[in-house]
Amino acid sequence: MTMMSGGQAVVDVLKAEGVKFVFGMPGGHTIGIYDALYGQQQISHILVRHEQHAASMAAGYAQLTGQPGVCCVTAGPGATNLVTSVAEAYVGALPMVIIAGRGATRNAHRGASQEIDQVRIFAAITKWGIRVDRPDLIVESLRQAFTIARSGKPGPVLIDIPQDVLAQQVDLGDYRPVGKPAAVRGDSERIKAAAAALLAAKRPLILAGGGAVAADASAEVRRLAEALGSPVLTTLAGRGILPDDHELVAGGIGHHRQDVTKFLLPNADVVIGIGARFEQQETNWKPDYLPAPTATYIQIDIDPNEIGRSVVAGIGITGDARLVLRDLNAEIEGQSNGQRAASKEWLDELARRRAQLEAEREAMANSDAKPIHPVRIFDRIRRVFPRNTTVAIDVGVLAQGMGGAYPYFKIYEPRATIVPSSFYGMGFSASAFPVAKLVYPDRPAVCFVGDGSFQMVMNILPVAAELKLGVTWCIFNDHALGSIRDIQVQAFNERFIATDFVLDLDYAGLAVASGCHGERVSDPQQIEAALERAVAANAAGKPAVIDFVVAKERLKGSMEFFAR
């Protein structure tokens, strides 16, 4: 029998589960856990300046690694400050384990300090939550938490532990980590039907989403695409599933569509969606953003509740995307010799339209206009930062609408991005961003964020500075809440209210005051030099903030998407 405090048992379970980082802030209700973290070497605690950042960083860690991110916060406001980013993880199917403190059981229901029903608050945005009122339940509750967070469609779970329970003695026992659950194979008959439909297609199209990345199915997606001669579209979370210089990459959908997508999606005769949902930012619920009604839609998803949820699936397959694709590729192999020839006209049109799109991008990238054209900045970032750079893309018509869109910024591998899902909390990716350097210490990292989103999370800067995390935030500063201002332009006759910033905030000065390198750039000729100085600062372990003063330029795809 191995007896220890409840707080020590929590830490020992985290160690057994392979947890490397805990993101959080200590409080009186969780001090027993923090005391157990003292002096040990296996887990690093990342001290944030606001609990929202703890959840953002835990979610970003899950997105980059596929492993559960762990955050630890105190009761009441410590827990409720997590809500927005936990919701992002829930919608984005990112595994997360939340350990929250609570007042002592003897004070329950008597007006205890910071007392609130945390399990109920988080019920709508977690897969599972439990209040642990007995010390002998701590270990088993954590085992269940890691199992549920990782299994099926991943997501966040909540463990709510009162202060006095953490102080009591617990028997850790022979704890065995749950590890990653077994992957689920798809139904063989449905896979055969999907193979037959794809082999008969003249204009096949693949749409890969975040579920394909989560399943580590990059190699299988590539194998299928090359066998069929199929263009590959991605959602924002699916970017990098194929490198953007692969001949079959065709770009994004919805907010991120362009002329290539506008041609491919309505003209495809068979569309296979892999871990993709066709949610609002990918469709805006407009018919021409969806597969043609006559097309056969094949949907692969780990969650049976997602099959047919947004687009009726002719063939729905529930299972792990990598295993389903392996079985599908095995069915197709040996029968697809003529497939690429059959889709030659389709691929020729893809190549022609891609070249035209690239020429349009090049013209924008070489603009000498002032204020700076945002595409010129994305182009120079791609030139200065190497191919394996980790990229955080925040919400907004510039950061997300341009930086998240092919071909304006190219991405070359999966699990190289931190992006929002359809919850789209402003500042989520920018506050999660420093975790990129914890996961990939040898890779450069850059974040695209608008000035509106950045103002929500500016206190993330001292976190990165204190830990000497060499990352660079690029602020696309148009002095406005750009996405909402665009709606006022298009639908409300330019009746601007509460979307323009009057104060010209000194982001560079704020960065310097926070221990970072900072500078403002308003001349397009100075972009590369500023980026190189940021890279040099990063190499010395100093985070950087570059405030780019940009024009209110918009891509055609964004204007079409938000038109009312």
Side-chain angles (χ1 to χ4, degrees):
M1 185 174 287
T2 308
M3 300 301 292
M4 61 187 66
S5 71
Q8 185 65 58
V10 169
V11 171
D12 282 9
V13 169
L14 298 183
K15 289 179 182 178
E17 292 292 349
V19 173
K20 296 179 180 179
F21 302 100
V22 171
F23 307 95
M25 293 183 74
H29 298 96
T30 54
I31 198 68
I33 297 173
Y34 278 84
D35 185 66
L37 286 168
Y38 179 81
Q40 54 80 45
Q41 303 297 317
Q42 289 174 247
I43 300 173
S44 297
H45 180 267
I46 307 302
L47 176 61
V48 296
R49 301 304 189 267
H50 189 286
E51 289 90 353
Q52 180 182 350
H53 306 333
S56 297
M57 294 181 80
Y61 179 85
Q63 201 164 50
L64 293 178
T65 66
Q67 299 301 316
V70 177
C71 49
C72 183
V73 295
T74 195
T80 58
N81 280 344
L82 296 173
V83 166
T84 298
S85 291
V86 171
E88 190 71 58
Y90 181 75
V91 172
L94 300 173
M96 180 189 296
V97 174
I98 306 154
I99 302 170
R102 187 192 276 263
T105 54
R106 65 180 177 275
N107 297 325
H109 313 300
R110 298 172 60 193
S113 175
Q114 300 182 325
E115 182 177 32
I116 197 166
D117 191 339
Q118 294 167 182
V119 175
R120 284 185 65 194
I121 286 173
F122 282 86
I125 53 171
T126 52
K127 290 182 68 180
W128 181 72
I130 188 172
R131 172 174 170 154
V132 183
D133 277 337
R134 287 169 26 201
D136 59 311
L137 295 178
I138 289 177
V139 173
E140 187 55 36
S141 295
L142 283 165
R143 188 197 312 276
Q144 289 185 51
F146 277 95
T147 301
I148 293 168
R150 288 176 164 131
S151 62
K153 182 179 181 179
V157 297
L158 171 70
I159 306 294
D160 186 349
I161 313 178
Q163 179 182 9
D164 57 334
V165 173
L166 286 171
Q168 294 175 44
Q169 290 295 292
V170 176
D171 179 14
L172 181 65
D174 182 21
Y175 185 85
R176 298 182 183 180
V178 298
K180 193 171 182 178
V184 179
R185 293 200 103 90
D187 180 81
S188 60
E189 293 304 313
R190 294 188 178 211
I191 290 172
K192 288 177 182 177
L198 289 165
L199 287 167
K202 296 291 192 295
R203 299 179 302 281
L205 184 62
I206 294 171
L207 171 62
V213 174
D216 294 320
S218 177
E220 288 74 17
V221 170
R222 182 172 191 152
R223 184 174 152 198
L224 180 65
E226 291 176 349
L228 296 173
S230 171
V232 177
L233 303 178
T234 69
T235 67
L236 179 60
R239 292 209 61 193
I241 197 76
L242 259 67
D244 272 349
D245 51 3
H246 192 285
E247 63 176 348
L248 294 175
V249 166
I253 61 175
H255 189 189
H256 300 125
R257 80 171 187 171
Q258 20 66 15
D259 287 345
V260 177
T261 315
K262 286 167 67 176
F263 168 74
L264 292 173
L265 191 55
N267 287 296
D269 55 359
V270 178
V271 179
I272 177 168
I274 307 165
R277 296 180 301 174
F278 279 109
E279 47 93 358
Q280 185 176 359
Q281 281 286 327
E282 294 155 4
T283 64
N284 212 4
W285 313 130
K286 296 178 180 179
D288 59 330
Y289 284 77
L290 299 168
T294 55
T296 299
Y297 181 50
I298 303 166
Q299 185 178 3
I300 301 170
D301 203 284
I302 192 65
D303 183 2
N305 295 319
E306 289 292 346
I307 302 295
R309 185 177 177 188
S310 295
V311 177
V312 176
I315 304 169
I317 306 171
T318 301
D320 176 82
R322 182 165 61 170
L323 290 186
V324 171
L325 289 177
R326 283 180 180 176
D327 292 342
L328 183 59
N329 282 323
E331 288 288 333
I332 287 173
E333 274 183 353
Q335 301 183 63
S336 61
N337 293 337
Q339 189 67 25
R340 191 142 184 151
S343 59
K344 182 179 184 304
E345 185 178 337
W346 184 236
L347 294 179
D348 287 347
E349 188 64 20
L350 167 64
R352 187 187 72 79
R353 289 175 182 264
R354 269 187 28 155
Q356 182 178 348
L357 184 65
E358 186 60 40
E360 293 171 3
R361 186 207 67 82
E362 190 73 19
M364 288 185 272
N366 290 324
S367 169
D368 288 322
K370 293 183 182 180
I372 305 170
H373 196 299
V375 170
R376 180 171 180 130
I377 301 168
F378 291 120
D379 177 81
R380 297 322 189 258
I381 292 171
R382 189 72 276 178
R383 293 185 191 183
V384 171
F385 283 80
R387 187 179 178 94
N388 68 345
T389 295
T390 311
V391 185
I393 300 168
D394 212 286
V395 174
V397 74
L398 297 178
Q400 175 196 338
M402 291 189 189
Y406 169 89
Y408 307 98
F409 187 85
K410 295 184 175 67
I411 294 170
Y412 297 106
E413 55 189 291
R415 296 205 187 276
T417 60
I418 299 172
V419 298
S421 186
S422 59
F423 197 66
Y424 292 108
M426 291 176 64
F428 164 73
S429 298
S431 63
F433 176 49
V435 82
K437 205 67 175 175
L438 297 175
V439 173
Y440 302 127
D442 298 325
R443 296 188 188 183
V446 65
C447 175
F448 309 148
V449 60
D451 50 327
S453 290
F454 190 71
Q455 288 184 63
M456 289 194 168
V457 297
M458 294 184 295
N459 56 351
I460 193 64
L461 295 182
V463 178
E466 184 173 87
L467 297 172
K468 295 181 169 53
L469 301 176
V471 297
T472 294
W473 284 269
C474 293
I475 302 174
F476 289 77
N477 185 355
D478 62 357
H479 300 95
L481 297 171
S483 299
I484 310 306
R485 192 179 190 278
D486 285 356
I487 297 172
Q488 292 172 338
V489 169
Q490 296 171 25
F492 293 92
N493 298 316
E494 300 187 359
R495 290 163 59 87
F496 300 122
I497 178 170
T499 52
D500 289 302
F501 296 126
V502 176
L503 176 66
D504 186 13
L505 191 59
D506 183 3
Y507 297 105
L510 183 120
V512 171
S514 300
C516 304
H517 169 80
E519 59 182 293
R520 170 173 283 197
V521 177
S522 56
D523 184 344
Q525 303 298 328
Q526 297 302 314
I527 296 172
E528 286 185 74
L531 290 169
E532 287 166 356
R533 286 190 289 272
V535 169
N538 291 171
K542 196 169 195 176
V545 174
I546 308 181
D547 176 14
F548 290 107
V549 180
V550 299
K552 290 180 172 62
E553 294 285 350
R554 301 294 183 260
L555 296 177
K556 182 169 60 176
S558 290
M559 291 187 287
E560 291 175 347
F561 184 80
F562 290 110
R564 296 191 174 188

